[in-house]
Amino acid sequence: GTAGKGIDFAVNSTENVSSASNVGKVLMDFEEGEFSPAITGESGSSSGLSATRKGYYTRIGDIVHVTIFIQNSSWTSGPSGTAYIGLPFTVKANFSSAGTLGYVNNFTKTPQRINAFQNTAKLYLFKYNTSSVADNSGFTNLDGSEVNSNSEIYAQVTYRVA
Protein backbone atom coordinates (compact mmCIF):
# COMPACT_ATOMS: atom_id res chain seq x y z
CA GLY A 1 0.00 0.00 0.00
CA THR A 2 0.90 3.66 -0.16
CA ALA A 3 -0.36 4.78 3.29
CA GLY A 4 2.29 6.67 5.29
CA LYS A 5 4.79 6.74 2.42
CA GLY A 6 4.44 10.39 1.38
CA ILE A 7 4.11 11.91 -2.07
CA ASP A 8 6.77 10.74 -4.54
CA PHE A 9 8.09 13.44 -6.90
CA ALA A 10 10.68 11.20 -8.60
CA VAL A 11 8.90 11.62 -11.96
CA ASN A 12 9.63 15.38 -11.77
CA SER A 13 13.33 14.76 -11.15
CA THR A 14 15.96 17.43 -11.79
CA GLU A 15 18.79 14.92 -12.23
CA ASN A 16 19.69 16.40 -15.61
CA VAL A 17 20.31 19.84 -14.04
CA SER A 18 24.00 19.97 -13.10
CA SER A 19 23.60 22.42 -10.17
CA ALA A 20 20.66 20.60 -8.52
CA SER A 21 21.01 18.07 -5.74
CA ASN A 22 18.24 15.46 -5.42
CA VAL A 23 18.55 14.62 -1.75
CA GLY A 24 14.87 13.74 -1.35
CA LYS A 25 12.07 13.24 -3.82
CA VAL A 26 9.38 12.15 -1.35
CA LEU A 27 7.35 14.67 0.65
CA MET A 28 6.92 13.00 4.02
CA ASP A 29 5.13 15.67 6.05
CA PHE A 30 2.53 18.39 5.59
CA GLU A 31 0.73 19.89 8.55
CA GLU A 32 -1.13 23.08 9.44
CA GLY A 33 -2.07 23.99 12.97
CA GLU A 34 -2.52 26.46 15.78
CA PHE A 35 -0.73 26.91 19.10
CA SER A 36 -0.82 29.37 22.02
CA PRO A 37 2.48 31.28 22.11
CA ALA A 38 3.54 33.23 25.19
CA ILE A 39 6.47 35.47 26.08
CA THR A 40 8.37 33.51 28.71
CA GLY A 41 11.63 33.99 30.60
CA GLU A 42 14.48 31.47 30.98
CA SER A 43 14.33 31.91 34.77
CA GLY A 44 10.55 32.04 35.20
CA SER A 45 7.22 32.42 33.44
CA SER A 46 4.51 35.00 33.96
CA SER A 47 1.91 34.23 36.58
CA GLY A 48 -1.71 35.28 36.49
CA LEU A 49 -1.32 36.11 32.78
CA SER A 50 -4.32 37.28 30.81
CA ALA A 51 -3.56 37.61 27.11
CA THR A 52 -4.80 37.13 23.57
CA ARG A 53 -2.36 34.64 22.04
CA LYS A 54 -2.57 33.23 18.55
CA GLY A 55 0.01 31.17 16.75
CA TYR A 56 -0.34 29.52 13.37
CA TYR A 57 2.09 27.22 11.59
CA THR A 58 2.49 25.40 8.30
CA ARG A 59 4.98 22.54 8.10
CA ILE A 60 6.07 21.20 4.72
CA GLY A 61 8.73 18.51 5.03
CA ASP A 62 11.34 19.83 7.44
CA ILE A 63 10.44 23.52 6.93
CA VAL A 64 8.04 25.30 9.31
CA HIS A 65 6.60 28.80 8.87
CA VAL A 66 5.12 30.35 12.03
CA THR A 67 3.09 33.53 12.55
CA ILE A 68 2.54 34.85 16.07
CA PHE A 69 0.27 37.45 17.68
CA ILE A 70 0.49 38.12 21.41
CA GLN A 71 -1.40 40.88 23.21
CA ASN A 72 -0.89 40.81 26.98
CA SER A 73 -3.62 42.49 29.01
CA SER A 74 -2.51 41.84 32.61
CA TRP A 75 -0.51 39.59 34.95
CA THR A 76 0.34 39.14 38.59
CA SER A 77 4.07 38.93 37.85
CA GLY A 78 6.02 38.97 34.59
CA PRO A 79 8.67 36.65 33.16
CA SER A 80 12.27 36.71 34.41
CA GLY A 81 15.54 35.98 32.66
CA THR A 82 16.14 35.97 28.90
CA ALA A 83 12.82 36.50 27.07
CA TYR A 84 11.62 34.07 24.40
CA ILE A 85 8.46 32.83 22.68
CA GLY A 86 7.81 29.08 22.52
CA LEU A 87 7.68 27.47 19.05
CA PRO A 88 5.63 24.42 18.00
CA PHE A 89 8.67 22.39 16.82
CA THR A 90 12.34 22.11 17.82
CA VAL A 91 14.78 23.92 15.51
CA LYS A 92 17.23 21.61 13.72
CA ALA A 93 20.87 21.50 14.88
CA ASN A 94 23.12 23.99 13.03
CA PHE A 95 20.09 25.79 11.49
CA SER A 96 19.25 28.91 13.51
CA SER A 97 16.90 31.32 11.70
CA ALA A 98 16.15 35.03 11.94
CA GLY A 99 12.51 36.08 11.92
CA THR A 100 10.58 39.28 11.26
CA LEU A 101 8.93 41.59 13.77
CA GLY A 102 5.88 43.15 12.15
CA TYR A 103 4.75 45.19 15.16
CA VAL A 104 5.81 45.65 18.78
CA ASN A 105 4.23 47.89 21.42
CA ASN A 106 4.52 48.64 25.17
CA PHE A 107 7.89 47.04 25.96
CA THR A 108 10.31 48.73 28.40
CA LYS A 109 13.05 48.04 25.84
CA THR A 110 11.75 47.52 22.31
CA PRO A 111 12.67 44.21 20.66
CA GLN A 112 14.43 44.81 17.34
CA ARG A 113 15.30 41.30 16.23
CA ILE A 114 14.17 37.69 16.75
CA ASN A 115 16.04 34.41 16.25
CA ALA A 116 14.98 30.76 16.41
CA PHE A 117 17.99 28.95 17.87
CA GLN A 118 19.21 25.44 17.04
CA ASN A 119 18.17 22.52 19.24
CA THR A 120 15.47 24.57 20.99
CA ALA A 121 11.79 25.31 20.44
CA LYS A 122 12.40 28.96 21.36
CA LEU A 123 12.20 32.25 19.46
CA TYR A 124 14.51 34.65 21.33
CA LEU A 125 13.90 38.41 21.43
CA PHE A 126 16.81 40.86 21.04
CA LYS A 127 17.22 44.61 21.64
CA TYR A 128 19.88 47.15 20.74
CA ASN A 129 22.39 47.48 23.57
CA THR A 130 24.50 50.23 22.00
CA SER A 131 23.95 53.08 19.62
CA SER A 132 26.08 51.24 17.04
CA VAL A 133 24.13 48.61 15.10
CA ALA A 134 26.50 48.32 12.14
CA ASP A 135 27.02 44.65 13.00
CA ASN A 136 25.58 42.07 15.39
CA SER A 137 27.65 43.37 18.32
CA GLY A 138 24.96 46.01 18.95
CA PHE A 139 22.37 43.40 20.07
CA THR A 140 21.72 41.69 23.38
CA ASN A 141 18.94 39.46 24.69
CA LEU A 142 15.75 41.15 25.87
CA ASP A 143 15.16 40.39 29.54
CA GLY A 144 11.76 39.21 30.77
CA SER A 145 11.62 42.24 33.08
CA GLU A 146 11.52 44.44 29.95
CA VAL A 147 8.23 42.85 28.85
CA ASN A 148 5.20 44.67 30.26
CA SER A 149 1.78 43.38 31.26
CA ASN A 150 0.31 45.14 28.19
CA SER A 151 3.05 44.29 25.64
CA GLU A 152 2.02 43.36 22.08
CA ILE A 153 3.97 41.58 19.37
CA TYR A 154 3.32 40.36 15.83
CA ALA A 155 6.11 38.17 14.45
CA GLN A 156 6.91 35.46 11.93
CA VAL A 157 9.77 33.04 11.37
CA THR A 158 10.58 30.20 8.99
CA TYR A 159 12.97 27.48 10.20
CA ARG A 160 14.10 23.87 9.72
CA VAL A 161 12.85 21.32 12.24
CA ALA A 162 14.88 18.64 13.99
Side-chain angles (χ1 to χ4, degrees):
T2 58
K5 295 186 178 173
I7 300 171
D8 189 345
F9 292 99
V11 172
N12 298 321
S13 175
T14 56
E15 290 174 2
N16 60 351
V17 178
S18 62
S19 63
S21 174
N22 276 320
V23 176
K25 299 175 190 170
V26 178
L27 176 61
M28 295 304 295
D29 200 352
F30 175 83
E31 181 180 340
E32 291 180 316
E34 298 179 17
F35 67 106
S36 294
I39 301 173
T40 306
E42 291 283 0
S43 302
S45 301
S46 305
S47 62
L49 174 65
S50 177
T52 300
R53 304 178 304 178
K54 296 180 182 181
Y56 303 95
Y57 67 86
T58 301
R59 178 178 177 168
I60 302 171
D62 69 345
I63 302 292
V64 177
H65 180 75
V66 174
T67 56
I68 295 168
F69 166 71
I70 300 172
Q71 182 180 35
N72 291 339
S73 54
S74 66
W75 60 37
T76 306
S77 65
S80 59
T82 301
Y84 69 89
I85 298 169
L87 294 169
F89 300 96
T90 300
V91 180
K92 187 174 184 173
N94 302 315
F95 281 96
S96 298
S97 294
T100 304
L101 290 167
Y103 175 77
V104 292
N105 190 32
N106 294 324
F107 285 80
T108 303
K109 297 286 185 177
T110 303
Q112 302 290 332
R113 179 175 157 183
I114 54 176
N115 285 86
F117 279 106
Q118 63 179 343
N119 298 321
T120 72
K122 298 175 181 176
L123 184 63
Y124 286 95
L125 305 171
F126 291 89
K127 63 183 177 186
Y128 294 141
N129 67 349
T130 66
S131 58
S132 172
V133 291
D135 58 28
N136 289 336
S137 66
F139 291 98
T140 190
N141 290 84
L142 188 75
D143 188 77
S145 64
E146 297 167 323
V147 180
N148 297 317
S149 62
N150 61 345
S151 294
E152 299 174 278
I153 189 167
Y154 294 79
Q156 62 182 342
V157 64
T158 301
Y159 62 99
R160 289 191 176 272
V161 297

